[in-house]
Amino acid sequence: MIQLTRLNGDRFSLNAIFIEQVQSFPDTTITLYTGKKLVVRETENQVNMLIFKFYQSIGMQGCVKETGDLNEQ
């Protein structure tokens, strides 16, 4: 689980496995695989780092790849 902050200041925990996409619109918007969208105070980079640390903590850091890695040499 990662700890995030809604725009109104409320803190909540999110299971990072359910995250499909993180974007800045300029507010950071997280799209879950269900299609639900969450807007948070943290920056896109902060959210990505929290996700990476979560995957490290459960031993899955090798499962996360950047888009385009398969085509790069």
Side-chain angles (χ1 to χ4, degrees):
M1 301 287 256
I2 60 174
Q3 301 294 313
L4 297 168
T5 311
R6 296 183 193 278
L7 293 182
N8 67 3
D10 290 344
R11 299 277 297 159
F12 69 100
S13 298
L14 177 65
N15 187 338
I17 292 174
F18 296 126
I19 296 174
E20 181 177 351
Q21 188 175 39
V22 179
Q23 295 176 294
S24 297
F25 286 131
D27 292 328
T28 306
T29 303
I30 300 171
T31 304
L32 305 181
Y33 79 93
T34 61
K36 182 176 181 174
K37 294 184 185 286
L38 303 168
V39 181
V40 297
R41 285 188 177 179
E42 289 78 10
T43 66
E44 184 176 348
N45 288 337
Q46 289 172 322
V47 173
N48 287 334
M49 187 57 70
L50 290 169
I51 293 168
F52 181 76
K53 287 179 182 178
F54 170 75
Y55 279 123
Q56 277 184 324
S57 74
I58 62 171
M60 290 184 62
Q61 71 272 14
C63 297
V64 179
K65 292 189 176 190
E66 294 281 335
T67 303
D69 282 352
L70 296 175
N71 297 327
E72 293 179 5
Q73 304 263 335

